[in-house]
Amino acid sequence: MTSETLKHIAIIMDGNSRWAKQRGMLAASGHKAGVERIRDVLRACVEEGVEVLTVFAFSSENWRRPPSEVNALMSLFLGYLRKEARKLRDENVSVRIIGSRDRFSPRIQQAMAEAESITDGGERTLVIAADYGGKWDIAQAAKSLAQKAVAGEIDPDSIDSSMIEPYTALSDLPPLDLLIRTGGEYRISNFLLWQSAYAEFYFTDVFWPDFDGVELKKAVANFYCRQRRFGGREPENKNNSGIASA
């Protein structure tokens, strides 16, 4: 069992559309139910002592979905930011939004900035990944380092992973401990690729609109049953295969 303290959870909130389809409803209804679920999960995270919750709200690839679904998602996102910001501030939770903002409407960009400003200084953090992709994140970090190299501020030969890290999203927050994906899929879909290097993964068939605080606590309990070695061996060297476990 791990002795590590769980500080940072990330969630791929999958299964909204399938949840709605099972009930004979439009995909937008599933997304609306999913938005409401964030509140319960965030509350459970606070009860478990988790400092950071990062949710995958809208990926770089989600723009390819039908326009009606994208419009519904944008409307829900705008409504959530406007409705929840002051509630989160009162609960001492800061909002941070990561990803490219260029393709969002001016109204949504303004709501993003206002939500971050209103909630600034909270003891816990809700990170919303919107128009975000893990490859984009790493590319942005590489671009920043390339600009410094061109300017003569750094030697390209000196670049290593420790130099890339500060330019990635979330670099100032606790490292990612647990990545959860709901909805029965077993992939991370270009989410937090850099940050997931040594995170524990938890996959569940439960659709996101049904993933409540009880389900979150099941994932937390599962995390604490694991042995985290970060590329080394268990203290008692129980692995006799001669191959170091990851």
Side-chain angles (χ1 to χ4, degrees):
M1 296 176 62
T2 184
S3 59
E4 298 283 329
T5 301
L6 178 52
K7 296 182 178 180
H8 187 169
I9 292 176
I11 304 179
I12 300 173
M13 305 180 294
D14 195 20
N16 294 330
S17 297
R18 284 172 286 159
W19 180 90
K21 185 176 181 180
Q22 283 186 351
R23 290 158 177 76
M25 299 186 296
L26 296 176
S29 298
H31 294 307
K32 183 176 181 181
V35 167
E36 296 299 322
R37 189 55 69 198
I38 296 174
R39 189 180 301 110
D40 297 334
V41 170
L42 183 57
R43 186 179 302 115
C45 283
V46 172
E47 292 172 359
E48 292 291 330
V50 175
E51 297 176 11
V52 182
L53 172 63
T54 300
V55 296
F56 205 5
F58 194 82
S59 76
S60 305
E61 294 76 24
N62 285 159
W63 294 107
R64 303 172 188 169
R65 294 189 176 186
S68 59
E69 185 175 353
V70 171
N71 290 337
L73 286 166
M74 293 301 103
S75 179
L76 284 170
F77 188 28
L78 178 61
Y80 179 83
L81 292 172
R82 289 178 170 174
K83 179 181 177 182
E84 295 295 319
R86 285 177 173 76
K87 293 180 181 178
L88 291 168
R89 177 197 61 192
D90 294 342
E91 294 171 2
N92 209 16
V93 176
S94 291
V95 172
R96 179 185 298 188
I97 300 164
I98 60 172
S100 175
R101 304 191 184 190
D102 296 344
R103 289 193 280 185
F104 290 109
S105 70
R107 284 200 306 164
I108 292 179
Q109 291 185 38
Q110 181 180 356
M112 290 177 175
E114 289 177 351
E116 290 176 323
S117 176
I118 289 170
T119 62
D120 185 44
E123 290 185 1
R124 301 184 187 278
T125 305
L126 171 63
V127 180
I128 301 173
D131 197 359
Y132 173 88
K135 292 181 179 179
W136 169 88
D137 192 356
I138 296 170
Q140 291 298 111
K143 180 179 178 180
S144 297
L145 285 173
Q147 290 171 339
K148 287 185 173 293
V150 169
E153 298 177 19
I154 59 172
D155 179 359
D157 290 335
S158 69
I159 296 175
D160 58 18
S161 61
S162 66
M163 294 181 68
I164 296 173
E165 173 74 27
Y167 295 95
T168 58
L170 313 183
S171 62
D172 60 321
L173 295 175
L176 180 61
D177 296 306
L178 176 62
L179 175 62
I180 299 170
R181 180 166 189 153
T182 64
E185 301 290 351
Y186 292 82
R187 56 180 180 272
I188 60 174
S189 297
N190 194 25
F191 183 46
L192 299 180
L193 299 181
W194 183 275
Q195 296 82 355
S196 296
Y198 273 103
E200 297 293 320
F201 290 180
Y202 180 88
F203 299 101
T204 174
D205 291 335
V206 176
F207 292 147
W208 172 246
D210 291 328
F211 191 88
D212 56 12
V214 173
E215 292 295 334
L216 186 283
K217 292 183 178 183
K218 287 181 183 178
V220 170
N222 183 276
F223 170 86
Y224 281 117
C225 289
R226 300 185 186 186
Q227 178 67 49
R228 305 186 79 192
R229 292 181 291 273
F230 301 98
R233 294 186 183 276
E234 296 182 27
E236 296 177 0
N237 198 22
K238 294 180 179 179
N239 181 359
N240 296 319
S241 67
I243 300 175
S245 298

